[in-house]
């Protein structure tokens, strides 16, 4: 029995419609939500992501500005620009696209963003708030994953959730959000021994490792919920995830495709966080 496809585009549209309605209402009340996007360097994937984020802003009636720098920009110039945006009343969200070029300290840049405008949910204050269950901006990819599960009527409670990858922006917070929903969470990473012994026992498997097609159907528990955060190129240059979709779909109960799975949800939650910030700004 092949897996049910979790259609990220369809679910994203569902949430986008209600976010767009809220933007309309805010605009009627004289408030235009605004997002500032900072892009440093010439990374082509980053350029694509930024373009997609700004296009979605436009579709939803969210005002967006783009601030672009070359690789050679100084850290201080970047920090000053962020401070200026922190003080700008027309801007409710500030996003610095990662990765930043070598020589710029990513932590320092993220910590310069006001936690009240940190719509990526990367600032240590927001990460801390998330850890203890306080209201905060949640990181967009893990938040999008939780919304997908919710939309499909899947409760993580009591389930064994295995997260492959431990990045600050996906793996670590994804595990935390699953823990908040009462899953039993195992983190796996590049140093994990006998990885398949974990993936095979996962009721919910989330892969954010960035390795093309490296988890196959035989390494998945029958009926498992499989969420693929990977965005890789295979040997033919085609976009693919971490999960070998063709074999995995025969074993899994639910599976996200790449593309069209987690990606659209990440952008949707960025829009959600920006509107939430604008709403907060008017009390
Ligand atoms: N680089 C990869 N994913 C993300 C993201 O969600 N936000 C930012 N700012 N940079 C990223």
């Amino acid at each position: 029995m092949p897996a049910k496809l979790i259609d990220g585009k369809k679910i994203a549209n569902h949430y986008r419609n209600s976010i767009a309605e809220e933007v309309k209402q805010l605009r009627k009340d004289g408030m235009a939500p605004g997002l500032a996007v900072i892009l440093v360097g010439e990374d082509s994937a980053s350029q694509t992501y930024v373009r997609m984020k700004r296009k979605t802003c436009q579709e939803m009636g969210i005002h967006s500005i783009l601030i672009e720098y070359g690789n050679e920009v100084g850290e201080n110039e970047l920090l000053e620009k962020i401070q200026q945006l922190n003080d700008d009343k027309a801007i409710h969200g500030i996003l610095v696209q990662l990765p930043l070029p070598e020589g710029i300290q990513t932590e320092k840049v993220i910590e310069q963003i006001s936690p009240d405008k940190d719509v990526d949910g990367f600032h240590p204050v927001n990460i801390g708030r998330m850890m203890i269950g306080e209201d905060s901006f949640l990181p967009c990819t893990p938040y999008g994953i939780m919304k997908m599960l919710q939309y499909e009527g899947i409760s993580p409670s009591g389930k064994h959730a295995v997260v492959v990858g431990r990045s600050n922006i996906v793996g670590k917070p994804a595990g935390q959000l699953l823990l908040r929903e009462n899953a039993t969470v195992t983190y796996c990473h590049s140093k994990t021994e006998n990885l398949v012994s974990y993936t095979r026992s996962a009721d919910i498997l989330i892969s954010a490792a960035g390795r093309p097609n490296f988890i196959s159907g035989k390494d998945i528990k029958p009926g498992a919920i499989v969420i693929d955060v990977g965005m890789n190129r295979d040997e033919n240059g085609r976009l693919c995830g971490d999960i070998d979709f063709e074999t995995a779909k025969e074993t899994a109960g639910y599976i996200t495709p790449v593309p069209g799975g987690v990606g659209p949800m990440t952008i949707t939650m960025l829009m959600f966080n920006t509107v939430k910030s604008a709403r907060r700004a008017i009390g």
Side-chain angles (χ1 to χ4, degrees):
M1 174 73 178
K4 179 172 191 270
L5 197 72
I6 303 183
D7 184 344
K9 259 194 193 162
K10 185 183 84 181
I11 303 172
N13 278 336
H14 167 83
Y15 288 110
R16 284 181 192 189
N17 286 340
S18 62
I19 298 167
E21 274 308 308
E22 193 166 356
V23 173
K24 235 188 241 169
Q25 193 55 52
L26 280 168
R27 281 182 170 268
K28 259 191 213 154
D29 298 340
M31 155 62 83
L35 175 70
V37 179
I38 299 178
L39 176 61
V40 186
E42 270 94 49
D43 184 84
S44 74
S46 289
Q47 286 172 338
T48 304
Y49 291 139
V50 163
R51 206 178 318 116
M52 283 159 56
K53 288 170 184 178
R54 296 198 68 220
K55 180 168 170 271
T56 312
C57 278
Q58 198 182 6
E59 286 165 4
M60 309 202 59
I62 296 172
H63 166 65
S64 83
I65 60 170
L66 173 64
I67 299 128
E68 279 185 281
Y69 293 104
N71 271 315
E72 70 294 340
V73 68
E75 198 173 87
N76 281 339
E77 193 178 341
L78 214 47
L79 297 178
E80 272 168 31
K81 174 48 85 176
I82 293 171
Q83 190 51 50
Q84 203 184 317
L85 295 166
N86 284 340
D87 297 334
D88 186 339
K89 294 256 185 304
I91 294 299
H92 306 98
I94 302 169
L95 177 158
V96 179
Q97 188 64 31
L98 303 181
L100 290 170
E102 267 178 46
I104 297 178
Q105 297 177 71
T106 303
E107 295 77 17
K108 214 165 163 184
V109 170
I110 289 173
E111 287 179 35
Q112 179 78 350
I113 301 171
S114 161
D116 294 332
K117 295 191 178 186
D118 168 40
V119 287
D120 258 330
F122 294 168
H123 193 287
V125 165
N126 282 316
I127 294 169
R129 286 178 180 153
M130 174 190 69
M131 295 280 285
I132 61 173
E134 278 185 10
D135 183 41
S136 67
F137 291 115
L138 297 175
C140 301
T141 299
Y143 195 11
I145 292 170
M146 299 309 286
K147 285 285 176 191
M148 285 175 127
L149 296 178
Q150 191 187 357
Y151 183 90
E152 294 292 343
I154 296 162
S155 164
S157 183
K159 293 194 169 70
H160 183 205
V162 172
V163 180
V164 184
R166 53 175 161 176
S167 70
N168 287 336
I169 68 180
V170 184
K172 279 184 202 162
Q176 278 302 315
L177 295 185
L178 287 158
L179 179 64
R180 248 165 73 156
E181 296 296 325
N182 303 311
T184 303
V185 179
T186 302
Y187 285 99
C188 297
H189 45 79
S190 54
K191 300 284 189 293
T192 298
E193 292 180 6
N194 199 5
L195 176 69
V196 298
S197 70
Y198 299 99
T199 62
R200 284 178 187 163
S201 77
D203 302 309
I204 300 175
L205 176 62
I206 303 201
S207 188
R211 290 173 57 188
N213 297 326
F214 91 112
I215 297 174
S216 74
K218 66 178 179 4
D219 301 327
I220 291 170
K221 184 174 172 176
I225 296 135
V226 177
I227 309 287
D228 192 349
V229 188
M231 190 61 85
N232 316 305
R233 297 270 168 195
D234 67 13
E235 64 274 19
N236 302 314
R238 268 194 303 263
L239 211 55
C240 72
D242 291 352
I243 310 281
D244 179 43
F245 187 82
E246 288 309 312
T247 56
K249 77 175 195 304
E250 301 302 324
T251 319
Y254 290 83
I255 191 166
T256 62
V258 176
V262 175
M265 289 304 292
T266 296
I267 299 183
T268 303
M269 301 329 290
L270 174 68
M271 302 298 120
F272 178 91
N273 282 345
T274 304
V275 172
K276 172 176 170 157
S277 180
R279 210 188 313 121
R280 272 187 182 175
I282 52 173

